Short mmCIF file of all heavy atoms in Angstrom, two decimals:
data_model
loop_
_atom_site.label_atom_id
_atom_site.label_comp_id
_atom_site.label_asym_id
_atom_site.label_seq_id
_atom_site.Cartn_x
_atom_site.Cartn_y
_atom_site.Cartn_z
N SER A 1 0.83 -1.18 0.00
CA SER A 1 -0.03 0.02 0.01
C SER A 1 0.85 1.25 0.00
O SER A 1 0.52 2.24 -0.60
CB SER A 1 -0.94 -0.04 1.26
OG SER A 1 -1.80 -1.08 1.20
N GLY A 2 1.99 1.15 0.69
CA GLY A 2 2.89 2.32 0.62
C GLY A 2 3.46 2.59 -0.64
O GLY A 2 3.69 3.73 -1.11
N ALA A 3 3.84 1.52 -1.40
CA ALA A 3 4.37 1.63 -2.74
C ALA A 3 3.31 2.30 -3.65
O ALA A 3 3.63 3.16 -4.47
CB ALA A 3 4.79 0.30 -3.33
N LEU A 4 2.04 1.80 -3.48
CA LEU A 4 1.02 2.36 -4.35
C LEU A 4 0.72 3.81 -4.06
O LEU A 4 0.54 4.60 -4.96
CB LEU A 4 -0.22 1.55 -4.10
CG LEU A 4 -1.39 1.65 -5.05
CD1 LEU A 4 -0.91 1.38 -6.49
CD2 LEU A 4 -2.47 0.63 -4.75
N GLU A 5 0.86 4.21 -2.76
CA GLU A 5 0.68 5.63 -2.33
C GLU A 5 1.80 6.48 -2.92
O GLU A 5 1.56 7.59 -3.45
CB GLU A 5 0.66 5.70 -0.84
CG GLU A 5 0.60 7.22 -0.37
CD GLU A 5 -0.64 7.95 -0.73
OE1 GLU A 5 -1.63 7.40 -1.34
OE2 GLU A 5 -0.62 9.19 -0.56
N ASP A 6 3.01 5.97 -2.92
CA ASP A 6 4.14 6.76 -3.48
C ASP A 6 3.91 7.07 -4.99
O ASP A 6 4.23 8.13 -5.43
CB ASP A 6 5.48 5.95 -3.37
CG ASP A 6 6.04 6.10 -1.94
OD1 ASP A 6 5.61 6.91 -1.15
OD2 ASP A 6 6.99 5.29 -1.66
N ILE A 7 3.38 6.08 -5.71
CA ILE A 7 3.17 6.17 -7.09
C ILE A 7 2.04 7.17 -7.33
O ILE A 7 2.06 8.04 -8.19
CB ILE A 7 2.84 4.87 -7.75
CG1 ILE A 7 4.07 3.87 -7.62
CG2 ILE A 7 2.51 5.05 -9.25
CD1 ILE A 7 3.68 2.41 -7.88
N TRP A 8 0.92 6.98 -6.48
CA TRP A 8 -0.29 7.82 -6.66
C TRP A 8 -0.05 9.25 -6.38
O TRP A 8 -0.73 10.10 -6.95
CB TRP A 8 -1.46 7.18 -5.91
CG TRP A 8 -2.74 7.27 -6.71
CD1 TRP A 8 -3.67 8.21 -6.56
CD2 TRP A 8 -3.04 6.49 -7.85
NE1 TRP A 8 -4.65 7.96 -7.55
CE2 TRP A 8 -4.26 6.99 -8.32
CE3 TRP A 8 -2.36 5.42 -8.48
CZ2 TRP A 8 -4.90 6.40 -9.39
CZ3 TRP A 8 -3.06 4.85 -9.61
CH2 TRP A 8 -4.21 5.30 -10.03
N LEU A 9 0.80 9.60 -5.49
CA LEU A 9 1.16 10.91 -5.26
C LEU A 9 1.61 11.66 -6.55
O LEU A 9 1.30 12.85 -6.78
CB LEU A 9 2.21 11.07 -4.21
CG LEU A 9 1.88 10.77 -2.73
CD1 LEU A 9 3.11 10.74 -1.89
CD2 LEU A 9 0.83 11.83 -2.28
N ARG A 10 2.35 10.88 -7.38
CA ARG A 10 2.78 11.50 -8.62
C ARG A 10 1.70 11.53 -9.60
O ARG A 10 1.64 12.51 -10.41
CB ARG A 10 3.95 10.69 -9.28
CG ARG A 10 5.31 11.02 -8.71
CD ARG A 10 5.49 10.74 -7.24
NE ARG A 10 6.82 11.06 -6.69
CZ ARG A 10 7.23 10.77 -5.52
NH1 ARG A 10 6.48 10.03 -4.72
NH2 ARG A 10 8.47 11.04 -5.12
N VAL A 11 0.74 10.65 -9.63
CA VAL A 11 -0.45 10.72 -10.46
C VAL A 11 -1.20 12.01 -10.19
O VAL A 11 -1.62 12.77 -11.05
CB VAL A 11 -1.35 9.44 -10.30
CG1 VAL A 11 -2.62 9.60 -11.12
CG2 VAL A 11 -0.58 8.20 -10.82
N ARG A 12 -1.38 12.25 -8.82
CA ARG A 12 -2.15 13.42 -8.45
C ARG A 12 -1.39 14.67 -8.80
O ARG A 12 -1.96 15.71 -9.20
CB ARG A 12 -2.38 13.36 -6.91
CG ARG A 12 -3.43 12.34 -6.45
CD ARG A 12 -3.74 12.58 -4.98
NE ARG A 12 -4.63 11.64 -4.55
CZ ARG A 12 -4.60 10.93 -3.39
NH1 ARG A 12 -3.54 11.12 -2.63
NH2 ARG A 12 -5.55 10.15 -3.01
N TRP A 13 -0.03 14.67 -8.61
CA TRP A 13 0.75 15.88 -8.88
C TRP A 13 0.63 16.17 -10.41
O TRP A 13 0.51 17.35 -10.77
CB TRP A 13 2.26 15.54 -8.53
CG TRP A 13 3.02 16.82 -8.68
CD1 TRP A 13 3.30 17.74 -7.65
CD2 TRP A 13 3.69 17.32 -9.87
NE1 TRP A 13 4.05 18.73 -8.22
CE2 TRP A 13 4.30 18.52 -9.53
CE3 TRP A 13 3.76 16.83 -11.15
CZ2 TRP A 13 5.09 19.32 -10.40
CZ3 TRP A 13 4.53 17.60 -12.11
CH2 TRP A 13 5.12 18.79 -11.69
N LEU A 14 0.66 15.13 -11.27
CA LEU A 14 0.56 15.34 -12.76
C LEU A 14 -0.86 16.02 -13.02
O LEU A 14 -0.88 16.88 -13.95
CB LEU A 14 0.80 14.07 -13.49
CG LEU A 14 2.21 13.54 -13.48
CD1 LEU A 14 2.19 12.11 -14.03
CD2 LEU A 14 3.10 14.46 -14.32
N ASN A 15 -1.84 15.60 -12.36
CA ASN A 15 -3.21 16.20 -12.57
C ASN A 15 -3.13 17.68 -12.15
O ASN A 15 -3.70 18.55 -12.85
CB ASN A 15 -4.25 15.42 -11.78
CG ASN A 15 -4.81 14.28 -12.50
OD1 ASN A 15 -5.53 14.45 -13.51
ND2 ASN A 15 -4.48 13.10 -12.05
N GLY A 16 -2.49 17.94 -11.02
CA GLY A 16 -2.39 19.33 -10.63
C GLY A 16 -1.58 20.13 -11.58
O GLY A 16 -1.83 21.33 -11.81
N PHE A 17 -0.51 19.58 -12.16
CA PHE A 17 0.35 20.24 -13.11
C PHE A 17 -0.43 20.61 -14.36
O PHE A 17 -0.31 21.74 -14.79
CB PHE A 17 1.57 19.32 -13.47
CG PHE A 17 2.47 19.86 -14.39
CD1 PHE A 17 3.29 20.93 -14.07
CD2 PHE A 17 2.54 19.36 -15.68
CE1 PHE A 17 4.25 21.46 -14.99
CE2 PHE A 17 3.54 19.93 -16.58
CZ PHE A 17 4.30 20.90 -16.25
N VAL A 18 -1.26 19.75 -14.84
CA VAL A 18 -2.10 20.07 -15.99
C VAL A 18 -2.92 21.22 -15.71
O VAL A 18 -2.99 22.17 -16.53
CB VAL A 18 -2.98 18.86 -16.44
CG1 VAL A 18 -3.97 19.23 -17.50
CG2 VAL A 18 -2.08 17.67 -16.87
N GLN A 19 -3.60 21.26 -14.58
CA GLN A 19 -4.54 22.34 -14.25
C GLN A 19 -3.85 23.61 -14.10
O GLN A 19 -4.31 24.70 -14.49
CB GLN A 19 -5.29 21.98 -12.96
CG GLN A 19 -6.30 20.82 -13.07
CD GLN A 19 -7.32 21.08 -14.20
OE1 GLN A 19 -7.36 20.33 -15.18
NE2 GLN A 19 -8.08 22.12 -13.94
N SER A 20 -2.62 23.61 -13.54
CA SER A 20 -1.88 24.85 -13.29
C SER A 20 -1.27 25.46 -14.58
O SER A 20 -1.25 26.67 -14.76
CB SER A 20 -0.83 24.58 -12.30
OG SER A 20 0.17 23.76 -12.74
N GLN A 21 -0.87 24.59 -15.43
CA GLN A 21 -0.24 25.04 -16.72
C GLN A 21 -1.11 25.33 -17.86
O GLN A 21 -0.85 26.10 -18.76
CB GLN A 21 0.81 23.95 -17.24
CG GLN A 21 1.87 23.64 -16.24
CD GLN A 21 2.72 24.84 -15.89
OE1 GLN A 21 3.17 25.52 -16.72
NE2 GLN A 21 2.86 25.10 -14.59
N GLU A 22 -2.38 24.72 -17.83
CA GLU A 22 -3.38 25.04 -18.78
C GLU A 22 -2.88 24.98 -20.23
O GLU A 22 -2.88 25.94 -20.97
CB GLU A 22 -4.04 26.39 -18.54
CG GLU A 22 -4.70 26.53 -17.11
CD GLU A 22 -5.34 27.93 -16.91
OE1 GLU A 22 -4.73 28.93 -17.24
OE2 GLU A 22 -6.49 27.90 -16.41
N PRO A 23 -2.44 23.77 -20.64
CA PRO A 23 -1.89 23.65 -22.01
C PRO A 23 -2.92 24.05 -23.13
O PRO A 23 -2.47 24.48 -24.25
CB PRO A 23 -1.43 22.22 -22.08
CG PRO A 23 -2.13 21.57 -20.95
CD PRO A 23 -2.35 22.52 -19.90
N TRP A 24 -4.15 23.90 -22.86
CA TRP A 24 -5.19 24.23 -23.86
C TRP A 24 -5.15 25.76 -24.10
O TRP A 24 -5.53 26.17 -25.20
CB TRP A 24 -6.53 23.84 -23.41
CG TRP A 24 -6.87 24.16 -21.98
CD1 TRP A 24 -7.45 25.33 -21.55
CD2 TRP A 24 -6.58 23.41 -20.85
NE1 TRP A 24 -7.55 25.25 -20.20
CE2 TRP A 24 -7.00 24.13 -19.71
CE3 TRP A 24 -5.99 22.14 -20.63
CZ2 TRP A 24 -6.96 23.64 -18.42
CZ3 TRP A 24 -5.87 21.59 -19.34
CH2 TRP A 24 -6.30 22.38 -18.27
N LYS A 25 -4.70 26.54 -23.19
CA LYS A 25 -4.54 27.95 -23.44
C LYS A 25 -3.20 28.33 -24.20
O LYS A 25 -3.18 29.19 -25.03
CB LYS A 25 -4.64 28.75 -22.18
CG LYS A 25 -5.98 28.77 -21.47
CD LYS A 25 -5.97 29.67 -20.24
CE LYS A 25 -7.41 29.69 -19.60
NZ LYS A 25 -7.41 30.57 -18.38
N LEU A 26 -2.19 27.57 -23.75
CA LEU A 26 -0.95 27.74 -24.44
C LEU A 26 -1.02 27.44 -25.95
O LEU A 26 -0.33 28.08 -26.75
CB LEU A 26 0.18 26.86 -23.78
CG LEU A 26 0.56 27.12 -22.35
CD1 LEU A 26 1.65 26.18 -21.92
CD2 LEU A 26 0.98 28.62 -22.15
N ALA A 27 -1.85 26.46 -26.27
CA ALA A 27 -1.95 26.06 -27.65
C ALA A 27 -2.52 27.23 -28.55
O ALA A 27 -2.35 27.19 -29.76
CB ALA A 27 -2.94 24.82 -27.70
N LYS A 28 -3.13 28.17 -27.86
CA LYS A 28 -3.69 29.26 -28.80
C LYS A 28 -2.69 30.41 -28.94
O LYS A 28 -2.91 31.33 -29.71
CB LYS A 28 -4.97 29.85 -27.99
CG LYS A 28 -6.02 28.91 -27.84
CD LYS A 28 -7.17 29.47 -27.01
CE LYS A 28 -8.33 28.46 -26.77
NZ LYS A 28 -9.37 29.02 -25.92
#
């Protein structure tokens, strides 16, 4: 479970990164 949590923290971080960077706006 600890291994899975370590991995999932990065999954969540990547989601936050998408929201903060807003690539759909950069594309314009």
Side-chain angles (χ1 to χ4, degrees):
S1 299
L4 198 51
E5 174 64 10
D6 281 349
I7 301 165
W8 219 257
L9 285 172
R10 275 64 180 191
V11 173
R12 287 190 181 135
W13 189 90
L14 288 169
N15 274 289
F17 180 72
V18 173
Q19 291 303 116
S20 67
Q21 299 301 309
E22 300 181 316
W24 48 90
K25 290 185 178 179
L26 296 181
K28 298 175 183 178

